Amino acid sequence: ASSNNATGVTGIDWNAKLLPVRVLGKCGGSTSDIIDGIYWAAGLPVSGVPTNNNPAKVINMSLGGEGACSSFEQAAIDAAVAAGSTIVVAAGNETVDVSRSSPANCNNVIAVAATDWNGQIGVYSNTGNGIDIAAPGGDTFTDTNNNPINGGVLSTYNNGTQAANQDVYARSIGTSMAAPHVAGVVSLMLARNSSLTPAQIERTLKSSARAFPTYGNHFDCTT
């Protein structure tokens, strides 16, 4: 996803530095790993591992599951935010109230719903008063001949099944694709003003976002 090379795609902030933190594996993972990942990404100590000397200014969490926000999750998030990290979380794709999806239902996070290509809330996206903002997550629809179209967000992938093989592009749909759009915008904001706090960033995002469009179906090209 290198930029300005006429190939594939690029991210929202083409000069951002990435800090990959793996907290889930092929067969899932544990909440404790996610919690440790939050602490470590923010540059906070985690028992048994070296300290991260390059704390992330924005942490994207395209993960989650049904349940309440545990006190341990909330403590990790609060500590990371206090350390200066803005935490962006995918709202979830269960078409339920986001209050049922953790860690999007934790305090001190930016919970991101997904919009379809028409700018409307995605039919799969979690919703509710706990949503802070929405961003492109893609959708699947049919054309005028009733042929299915994958309108997902194009991204980079690796098609190896047991080991790294060949980098490819593929489309995916969901709030996990929406959240990185917001994380990228946060990165751009910090590039312009590195002194912005997580609270200031969230207020600015909300105050500058537009309302959902009110026009009709996908193929109403006159609106």
Side-chain angles (χ1 to χ4, degrees):
S2 297
S3 62
N4 200 30
N5 61 358
T7 301
V9 297
T10 189
I12 299 295
D13 183 353
W14 53 97
N15 285 322
K17 294 181 179 179
L18 302 181
L19 179 72
V21 182
R22 182 173 180 173
V23 297
L24 300 173
K26 179 179 179 180
C27 298
S30 66
T31 302
S32 62
D33 287 337
I34 296 172
I35 290 170
D36 283 347
I38 295 171
Y39 280 116
W40 190 86
L44 300 171
V46 175
S47 178
V49 297
T51 300
N52 169 24
N53 294 319
N54 297 289
K57 298 297 292 183
V58 53
I59 298 174
N60 181 79
M61 299 176 66
S62 287
L63 51 80
E66 188 169 1
C69 176
S70 71
S71 60
F72 300 103
E73 288 176 288
Q74 190 63 65
I77 288 167
D78 290 345
V81 170
S85 296
T86 298
I87 299 183
V88 179
V89 183
N93 308 317
E94 294 75 38
T95 322
V96 299
D97 194 287
V98 70
S99 62
R100 294 168 55 182
S101 182
S102 174
N105 57 7
C106 295
N107 296 322
N108 266 343
V109 305
I110 298 175
V112 183
T115 59
D116 58 24
W117 75 276
N118 209 25
Q120 304 282 4
I121 193 75
V123 295
Y124 52 83
S125 178
N126 289 351
T127 55
N129 292 333
I131 296 295
D132 293 301
I133 200 164
D139 63 348
T140 300
F141 51 92
T142 56
D143 63 15
T144 53
N145 295 318
N146 209 35
N147 297 313
I149 297 175
N150 183 342
V153 178
L154 191 66
S155 188
T156 52
Y157 288 86
N158 189 284
N159 67 356
T161 57
Q162 296 180 334
N165 188 8
Q166 181 181 1
D167 293 326
V168 296
Y169 297 103
R171 296 184 182 275
S172 287
I173 298 169
T175 58
S176 286
M177 307 304 287
H181 283 88
V182 176
V185 171
V186 173
S187 180
L188 284 175
M189 294 168 69
L190 289 167
R192 293 299 300 268
N193 184 356
S194 61
S195 66
L196 288 172
T197 67
Q200 289 172 328
I201 287 169
E202 181 174 346
R203 286 196 299 269
T204 302
L205 285 172
K206 289 181 176 181
S207 64
S208 60
R210 66 164 172 77
F212 289 112
T214 57
Y215 45 76
N217 62 50
H218 289 313
F219 299 102
D220 184 359
C221 297
T222 62
T223 54

